[in-house]
Amino acid sequence: MPLLRSPSARRQLRAAAAAAASWPRPWRRCRASLGAGSPSQRLISTPIFYVNGPPHIGHLYSALLADAMHRHRQLLGQAGGRFATGTDEHGLKIQTTAAAAGTSPERFCDRVSAKFRELFTQAGISYTDFIRTTEPQHKRAVEHFWTTLRDRGWLYRAYYEGWYCTAEESFLATSQVTERPDALGRRHVVSLESGHQVHWTKEENYMFKLSEFREPLLRWLQERKLAITPKPFYQQVLQWLEQDLPDLSVSRDRARLWWGIPVPGDPTQTIYVWVDALVNYLTIMGYPEGHRAWWPAACHVVGKDILKFHAIYWPALLMAAGLEPPEQILVHSHWTVQGQKMSKSLGNVVDPWACFRRYSVDGFRYFLLRQGVPERDGDYYDEKAVKLINSELADALGGLLNRCTSPSLNPSSTYPGFSEACFPRDSGGSGKASVEDYELVSSVGALPQQVSSHFECFQIYKALEAIVNCVRQTNGFVQRHRPWKLSREDPEQQLWLDTILHVALECLRVYGTLLQPVIPAMADKLLTRLGVRSPAERSLSNVDFLSRYHGKKSPFEGRTLGPDAGLLFPKLKKAKDGS
Ligand code: MSP
């Protein structure tokens, strides 16, 4: 808490309110949250990752969510959008960890940042920009941002006194800390949220007049109900704003924290690592010159632990610098492991590379995105992952593809023809299709729209649930009509057999198309097997499910299927120790 607050500057408050009132408020036009604005000029970002340790599955999850959102936008035809990620390399935490490792922070950061890049490449994270906060253009952007805040009168010098948590790189109020004994019975003051030790710090710093942005922030959130999604997190931010909003210390004494960007014009101070880090979103957009074409069409994917920084500090800093808050902040919860928080001391930090070896990249991508519910923490353990992946990818989806492309049912290996006589549009007619078959056609027809709505609301797991329900319905359809009992010798039966296969392959084509953002390699394998090769045929705008049923031509009918590259997903074995 600052000892010296800014004098109650009503004039400043009026200025902040006036600045907020005069914005063009682009959020008004994006009622549907993601989907408005110029599609080619939109940014999706991950948080930038601390390099004090190697990446774990929690980091991967943040990146995967953003990747799936970005890929889904591309599927919708928004090709020019950008997707940024990177590493957060300054601050006390990195300075101390590098020293403990007996190396320079530069070398330490190079090594760990490369690990993140390596992980993202292997995981298929399709980023367009990778930023490191130690890069010169970022330093330039941060200096410019700082100078703007200073010149607009939002910074002042004061003695700061309060608790600092190095692990969280954040200042905590007395209500956010508690005293706890360690293993040796020594009492320490720790952060209530993370359990990490905090230290009392007292020094002269620069303060940011955050307290004056309470009302502009409230107004922004009242007008932009979807700015923070999902809703419980929006409510959480409103609750924070109902409490006291003290000014924020935004620099540290350089004698203690030298691994960071010096305050312009004052070499005795280092810019607070969170101000430095948040500005990365502008650096990517070419700030201070090129960002205007993009900003504020930015959508930040963040974990719940860093919500306050993104939903309060960042919009306030932006307003202070004369810029608008980001279009949207998408918030996710955390992964625990066998019911426990991941931590180095418990030795249960899960290595993503080990997961790729165990489940394959797409298998693990599927697990995290299918099981991860943004509003709730998810729990990972091997048996759960194996069960889910085997049942949904190997059995339901892989089994369906295998059945419908098997040489015994489809000896010519072509996309079979559709018979309107067998499956007439009028369900009361004389065809062979049952009521459930018409339900299937209607479910799969509605699926792309349903999936897109779930993506827009950042409910990727619901999109996957909807897809898997349709996959199961399609398996039921094939099972119900037993095409293997039909004879190709009998022309009437052959027509029906081909129609069954045509419908099933059309369903599979829709699933393959929709699954591209989540399991890109497996979706590619599936679509290639169906003979759906070109990017245009794989886009959502051309999905045109079961066009023959709707009385139109099908570009796929009669086409030779792609080569058989083996099982879509070979079943995973249970762990020997049953863990
Ligand atoms: N460097 C800051 C972010 C600055 S953004 C301007 C930071 N880095 S972090 O490496 O600690 O965390 C990055 C992301 O990983 C956050 O979204 C965080 O929520 C996420 N995760 C870290 N542990 C996690 C889990 N156990 N589960 C899911 N995600 C978690 O914070």
Side-chain angles (χ1 to χ4, degrees), residues 498-511:
D498 280 347
T499 303
I500 296 167
L501 294 183
H502 181 97
V503 173
L505 292 197
E506 278 291 281
C507 292
L508 276 163
R509 188 171 63 77
V510 173
Y511 309 146

Side-chain angles (χ1 to χ4, degrees), residues 27 216-224 227 311 315 319 325-326 329:
W27 55 82
L217 285 169
L218 278 168
R219 204 164 325 127
W220 163 57
L221 290 177
Q222 271 151 15
E223 292 189 9
R224 275 294 314 268
M319 290 180 198
I329 299 162

Side-chain angles (χ1 to χ4, degrees), residues 38-177:
S38 163
S40 56
Q41 301 264 282
R42 296 173 83 213
L43 166 78
I44 287 192
S45 66
T46 74
I48 48 171
F49 299 90
Y50 284 133
V51 290
N52 61 312
H56 58 60
I57 60 165
H59 302 134
L60 175 66
Y61 181 54
S62 281
L64 274 181
L65 286 166
D67 181 58
M69 294 297 291
H70 174 66
R71 285 177 183 267
H72 188 258
R73 282 186 180 182
Q74 286 181 314
L75 200 59
L76 290 173
Q78 302 173 10
R82 278 161 73 174
F83 169 23
T85 188
T87 42
D88 188 355
E89 306 189 2
H90 289 134
L92 204 51
K93 186 150 74 168
I94 316 290
Q95 182 179 303
T96 321
T97 318
T103 180
S104 69
E106 286 90 346
R107 229 175 299 151
F108 189 78
C109 291
D110 283 350
R111 201 169 61 218
V112 185
S113 179
K115 277 260 153 217
F116 274 94
R117 226 184 240 264
E118 196 189 304
L119 173 71
F120 293 163
T121 304
Q122 189 169 348
I125 306 295
S126 57
Y127 62 83
T128 56
D129 299 75
F130 191 99
I131 181 166
R132 297 182 59 185
T133 53
T134 44
E135 286 163 350
Q137 76 270 25
H138 177 65
K139 181 167 183 260
R140 207 177 134 249
V142 173
E143 285 169 348
H144 191 276
F145 192 81
W146 178 278
T147 313
T148 307
L149 295 182
R150 188 196 61 200
D151 293 351
R152 289 176 153 243
W154 296 114
L155 303 178
Y156 65 100
R157 268 192 98 118
Y159 275 96
Y160 173 83
E161 191 171 3
W163 295 109
Y164 192 76
C165 176
T166 307
E168 295 169 36
E169 293 283 17
S170 105
F171 306 100
L172 301 179
T174 317
S175 58
Q176 295 172 296
V177 301

Side-chain angles (χ1 to χ4, degrees), residues 272-307:
Y272 176 36
V273 64
W274 265 102
V275 174
D276 171 343
L278 287 162
V279 172
N280 96 81
Y281 302 127
L282 287 176
T283 309
I284 289 159
M285 309 283 80
Y287 181 83
E289 289 91 17
H291 63 288
R292 294 214 178 260
W294 294 80
W295 201 263
C299 167
H300 304 313
V301 172
V302 302
K304 63 178 183 180
D305 54 322
I306 54 174
L307 177 57

